[in-house]
Amino acid sequence: MIDRDGLADFLRRRRELLHPADVGLPDGARRRTPGLRREEVAQLAGMSTDYYSRLEQSRGANPSEPIVASLARALRCDLDERDHLYNLAGIAPPLRWAGRHISPGLLALVSRLTDIPVIIGTDLDEILWQNELADVVIGGGAGRNLTWLWFTDPEVRKIFPEEDWDVHSASHVADLRATYSRRMGDRDITELVDGLTARSEEFRALWELHEVAVRRLPRKRFLNAEVGDLDLTCETLLTPAADLRVRAFFPLEGTDAREKLDLLRVIGTQAFS
């Protein structure tokens, strides 16, 4: 059962402990009260200020699991604080190994990488966070499962040259095979594989090959309407439990990708403001 008063108090106290610089925001004008403003937390969590304000006032609808997860990330909760937040909201906390929680330290690290596209995803290829430049280059946003979309939504492939599609398809499936073996029997991966098998003939054929490999595609070519082809190299960093992955895309040496990323960063910043 939700503890409305406890939830409101915890949200307010976490908000007051954070400084704008902790979450990558400018200090702005002098603040009358310590910590972040309610509208800043709402923006970071991807919800309306009115909805967040009602939570801090012990009223409104019960928050869903995705809302609680977003609040935990926005408020830079560690695992103990995240679990406490879930319990206050009347929701069972996720298993700690099931990589959906981004630690404050990891968020602080990736938030400083503003000149390259960076994404954080789960071992099932669900995007949990991406920076503004990744929004411009890759599109979409948090909450998407890239493997699911690759085999069910033709629009997703249009940012890659068609001659690279077969390699990407094989890589998606081989990587999923490795995760499936490591986490066999878990409901989330079983549902993902069953759903893709039913929806995609291409996925079904590749899955039956039983090729296993953690994804290693160091070079990726992206198509962008503003600057044309982008040649990038992908560095993947794993968390200690290997269930969260940080992917950073660097310009390929000997190409004009650096200049194009710089231009897209300016274009993207103007667009988002």
Side-chain angles (χ1 to χ4, degrees):
M1 183 179 297
I2 186 172
D3 179 354
R4 291 192 176 277
D5 291 339
L7 177 63
D9 184 65
F10 182 73
L11 291 175
R12 183 170 57 254
R13 291 182 183 278
R14 281 299 306 164
R15 176 172 63 81
E16 292 173 350
L17 284 174
L18 291 173
H19 299 285
D22 296 333
V23 296
L25 294 175
D27 286 331
R30 170 179 275 178
R31 294 168 182 258
R32 292 183 303 231
T33 57
L36 298 179
R37 299 186 177 101
R38 286 177 175 173
E39 58 265 28
E40 290 170 333
V41 175
Q43 178 186 358
L44 290 167
M47 63 186 65
S48 71
T49 302
D50 181 63
Y51 180 83
Y52 177 77
S53 297
R54 289 200 302 271
L55 290 177
E56 276 204 11
Q57 295 163 358
S58 304
R59 56 192 187 89
N62 291 2
S64 65
E65 191 277 336
I67 288 291
V68 176
S70 295
L71 286 170
R73 288 194 290 272
L75 294 170
R76 301 305 195 258
C77 295
D78 62 23
L79 281 175
D80 291 333
E81 291 162 342
R82 181 207 68 173
D83 289 355
H84 182 61
L85 180 60
Y86 270 79
N87 288 325
L88 290 172
I91 300 172
L95 295 175
R96 291 207 172 195
W97 57 264
R100 293 187 54 83
H101 178 71
I102 305 174
S103 70
L106 184 57
L107 268 178
L109 172 65
V110 295
S111 296
R112 286 163 170 76
L113 302 176
T114 59
D115 61 339
I116 58 172
V118 181
I119 62 176
I120 300 177
T122 69
D123 56 354
L124 296 186
D125 230 3
E126 180 185 358
I127 301 302
L128 300 178
W129 179 93
Q130 63 185 41
N131 65 4
E132 288 187 359
L133 198 49
D135 289 336
V136 175
V137 173
I138 301 169
R144 303 176 300 149
N145 185 292
L146 296 183
T147 298
W148 174 267
L149 292 175
W150 181 263
F151 291 102
T152 62
D153 184 356
E155 292 296 315
V156 171
R157 303 191 178 199
K158 291 184 178 180
I159 66 170
F160 300 99
E162 188 171 355
E163 58 267 27
D164 294 349
W165 289 0
D166 288 346
V167 176
H168 283 290
S169 295
S171 178
H172 274 294
V173 176
D175 185 75
L176 187 59
R177 263 290 183 191
T179 304
Y180 186 84
S181 176
R182 181 169 63 89
R183 297 218 278 119
M184 187 176 296
D186 290 348
R187 179 179 176 181
D188 54 354
I189 192 167
T190 300
E191 290 180 348
L192 177 61
V193 171
D194 290 347
L196 285 170
T197 301
R199 287 282 299 272
S200 170
E201 182 178 346
E202 179 188 17
F203 175 86
R204 189 162 56 250
L206 288 169
W207 187 256
E208 289 174 356
L209 294 178
H210 210 118
E211 294 180 349
V212 181
V214 176
R215 182 175 305 151
R216 293 181 181 88
L217 276 178
R219 180 178 178 181
K220 286 181 180 283
R221 295 190 298 163
F222 293 90
L223 304 177
N224 185 272
E226 300 290 344
V227 298
D229 293 358
L230 270 172
D231 287 296
L232 306 177
T233 58
C234 179
E235 293 290 339
T236 301
L237 309 176
L238 302 179
T239 59
D243 50 13
L244 274 190
R245 303 171 182 179
V246 179
R247 293 194 180 115
F249 299 88
F250 295 90
L252 184 66
E253 294 181 1
T255 72
D256 59 357
R258 174 73 277 162
E259 291 77 11
K260 289 179 177 179
L261 284 179
D262 289 341
L263 176 58
L264 285 175
R265 186 152 59 110
V266 174
I267 295 173
T269 301
Q270 292 174 344
F272 284 111
S273 62

